[in-house]
Amino acid sequence: MLAPNGQSTARAADRVVAAGGTVVANYNQIGVLVARSTNPAFVTAVSGSGVDAVASTAGLGTALDDSETVEVTDPAVLQSTGDPTGEPLFGQQWDMIQINVPQAHKVTIGSPNVVVGVLDSGISSTHPDLATQIAKDKSASCIGGVVNTSEAAWNPTTSDHGTHVAGTIAAAINGIGVTGVAPGVKVASVKVVNDDGFIYPEAAVCGFLWAADHGMQVTNNSYYIDPWEFNCRNDVRQRPVWQAVQRAIRYSQNKGVLNVASAGNSNVDLQHKFIDSGSPNDGSFPVEDRTITGACLDLPAEAPGVVTVSAVGPTRSKSYYSSYGQGVVSVAAPGGDTRFRTLGRSSTLTDAVLSTTFNTTTKTNGWGYKQGTSMAGPHVAGVAALALSAHPNMQPGALASFLQRTADALPCPSGVYNPVPLLQGYEATCSGGNRNGFYGAGEINAYNVVR
C-alpha cells in the first residue's frame, strides 16, 4: 500500500492496524508499506485518509522465466580447449570474446570497491568460482518484502538462475571453471525470487531499496513483476504496484545506483500495441486478452532510467526469443541462441551462455549453459562495473549514456526477420538506424569502456 508520495507512512500504518492487519515492512523512504491480513475485506477497510492506493498481491507473482534455458554439468561436454588466462572453460565462453572481455582485462578486471547487486534467486556461496566474489555483508533475502541477512536465506533453494547470472558478472580468475566480465568486482546476493519461482512486487521493492541503502552501484534484474507481463497503470488492480516499483527505482537512482534489466523472452515489440493473451500466468485471475498500450510497462525493464537489454547470439543477430522495441532497448548483449545454428560449432548447446550453476536437488556446484535475456543483462551489468572501476564516481545517468556511446552499433536486418524459418511465431520487424529496436545503441563493448 502507498502513503502520499513524500509523506510519512505513520497514518497508513495506523489504518492497517485498525483494519485488522499487520505491517511486516515499512519503507518510509518512499511511502510504501507491506501489510498482511486474513480479513477478506482488508483492501476496502484500509483505504482512506493517509493511504493513496492499495493493491492485493495475494496469489500474485510471475514464475521466474527459465523456459529458454539449457543446462549441462557433464564434464564430457564441458571440455576445456585451453586458454592463456588459466580458466579451463574460457575457450567455450564465446560471449566474453564477442564483447572484448580479454582486451578489457588487460586494462582492469574491476575494482573490489564496486558491488553489483544480483536481484534474483540467490547465489551459491560455496561455488568455487563465486565464494571469494560475494559481498556477504551486503547480501540479504527480500522474500515477502522483509530483509533477512542470514547466509542460508540468500542462498538458492529451488533455482540456480541467480548463480548463473552472478558467474557471468564476476566469476573469479582462479584457474577453475569460467571467468566473469568483471572478476575483480564483488556481487551481492539480493534474493527476490521465492521457492515457487515468483517475484512478488514487495520483494522487488525491498531489493531496490536494500541495494540503494547498502552502497551498490549497479543492480541486475533478470525478471518482470506481477502475473501480468505488462503492468498497466490504468488498471486499478495494478496501478499501486506500478507506483511502488517506480518509487523504489527512482529512490535507488537518486542514491547512485544504475539498474540493468532484461527486455524479456516473448519476442514482442515493446514499443507498439499488441495483444497479451497469456497473463496472468499463475491462476490468480482468469487469463485475459488485453491490448497493451503506452499505459502498460514491462517492469522493471521499461521504467525510466533503467538500462534495458536485448539478447543476441554468436552471430550478433537478435536472439529468436528476445523482446525488442525502438526507444525501449538501450543496448544488446550475448544471451545465446540455440535455434540459430552457428556454422562450425559441434552443437547448438554451445550457442548458449556458459556460466556457474548450482543443483538445488543434490546441493552441488557446477557449470552449465543457459540462454535468455536473463543471460544478456548480466553482461551489461558486468561491463557497467568495469566502467565504474576505470572511471570512479560516474553517476547513473552518465554511466547509462556511456554504455550506449561505447557500444558497437548493429544495423537492422532488412525486411521481416525470422531466425527460425521452419517455425512460425518468431518473426520480428526492426525499425530505426544506428539506434534501433533490436539492438538499441548496439552490442555492449567491455574494452571500449575501460581503454
Side-chain angles (χ1 to χ4, degrees):
M1 58 188 294
L2 279 71
N5 200 7
Q7 298 184 23
S8 170
T9 57
R11 293 176 67 189
D14 290 342
R15 293 196 68 87
V16 169
V17 175
T22 302
V23 174
V24 297
N26 186 339
Y27 298 110
N28 198 57
Q29 309 99 307
I30 59 172
V32 173
L33 287 174
V34 179
R36 296 279 185 269
S37 178
T38 57
N39 179 5
F42 177 73
V43 171
T44 301
V46 81
S47 300
S49 177
V51 177
D52 260 11
V54 184
S56 171
T57 59
L60 300 188
T62 300
L64 187 68
D65 186 359
D66 276 329
S67 61
E68 300 297 348
T69 63
V70 184
E71 302 178 52
V72 61
T73 53
D74 183 352
V77 177
L78 297 177
Q79 292 178 3
S80 169
T81 58
D83 181 77
T85 65
E87 300 307 288
L89 300 178
F90 185 82
Q92 297 191 47
Q93 291 186 275
W94 59 268
D95 50 316
M96 300 296 171
I97 296 169
Q98 187 163 297
I99 62 171
N100 294 329
V101 167
Q103 295 91 323
H105 284 181
K106 292 179 181 179
V107 179
T108 180
I109 61 171
S111 166
N113 295 323
V114 176
V115 181
V116 179
V118 179
L119 275 63
D120 214 293
S121 62
I123 303 174
S124 171
S125 60
T126 60
H127 198 291
D129 252 345
L130 295 172
T132 61
Q133 308 302 94
I134 302 172
K136 293 184 177 182
D137 60 327
K138 297 180 184 294
S139 296
S141 168
C142 273
I143 302 304
V146 181
V147 172
N148 183 342
T149 58
S150 71
E151 188 166 333
W154 53 257
N155 262 259
T157 45
T158 58
S159 169
D160 70 342
H161 190 275
T163 299
H164 198 278
V165 164
T168 295
I169 297 170
I173 294 179
N174 55 5
I176 302 172
V178 297
T179 184
V181 174
V185 309
K186 299 295 183 182
V187 290
S189 176
V190 184
K191 190 173 182 179
V192 297
V193 184
N194 72 11
D195 286 351
D196 295 321
F198 295 144
I199 299 94
Y200 288 83
E202 58 265 32
V205 167
C206 169
F208 284 119
L209 266 63
W210 175 265
D213 289 338
H214 289 81
M216 299 176 208
Q217 298 96 322
V218 181
T219 70
N220 185 84
N221 304 269
S222 293
Y223 59 87
Y224 65 85
I225 298 167
D226 222 24
W228 289 275
E229 184 172 356
F230 302 93
N231 197 289
C232 300
R233 58 182 178 268
N234 58 353
D235 186 321
V236 295
R237 298 167 298 179
Q238 299 166 46
R239 184 168 55 248
V241 170
W242 187 91
Q243 292 172 315
V245 172
Q246 293 272 36
R247 288 186 190 182
I249 290 174
R250 190 178 304 115
Y251 176 85
S252 70
Q253 292 166 345
N254 290 338
K255 296 279 280 189
V257 182
L258 178 72
N259 298 299
V260 176
S262 301
N265 298 342
S266 299
N267 188 37
V268 297
D269 186 347
L270 298 170
Q271 178 61 21
H272 297 99
K273 291 182 179 180
F274 56 92
I275 302 297
D276 173 21
S277 299
S279 298
N281 69 354
D282 70 341
S284 55
F285 294 97
V287 173
E288 305 172 11
D289 281 340
R290 301 186 305 151
T291 300
I292 301 304
T293 70
C296 304
L297 300 179
D298 180 339
L299 291 176
E302 291 189 86
V306 170
V307 173
T308 306
V309 186
S310 65
V312 297
T315 63
R316 305 183 88 192
S317 297
K318 185 186 89 69
S319 301
Y320 70 91
Y321 52 79
S322 181
S323 292
Y324 55 98
Q326 189 172 16
V328 178
V329 170
S330 307
V331 290
D337 197 332
T338 60
R339 296 193 189 184
F340 196 175
R341 189 65 181 268
T342 305
L343 294 177
R345 292 187 180 273
S346 59
S347 72
T348 56
L349 178 65
T350 55
D351 288 344
V353 173
L354 179 63
S355 187
T356 46
T357 59
F358 179 73
N359 188 311
T360 57
T361 301
T362 62
K363 308 301 181 186
T364 55
N365 298 293
W367 294 265
Y369 292 94
K370 293 181 185 287
Q371 70 173 6
T373 56
S374 287
M375 284 60 254
H379 286 88
V380 177
V383 170
L386 285 180
L388 286 172
S389 300
H391 314 286
N393 303 316
M394 191 180 291
Q395 294 303 300
L399 178 56
S401 176
F402 185 56
L403 292 174
Q404 294 170 72
R405 292 199 317 271
T406 56
D408 295 327
L410 296 174
C412 279
S414 59
V416 176
Y417 174 75
N418 186 359
V420 198
L422 298 180
L423 297 175
Q424 298 298 311
Y426 296 109
E427 299 85 356
T429 301
C430 183
S431 59
N434 283 339
R435 187 181 183 93
N436 57 62
F438 275 14
Y439 312 111
E443 187 174 33
I444 207 76
N445 188 315
Y447 181 52
N448 283 352
V449 304
V450 301
R451 66 177 178 176

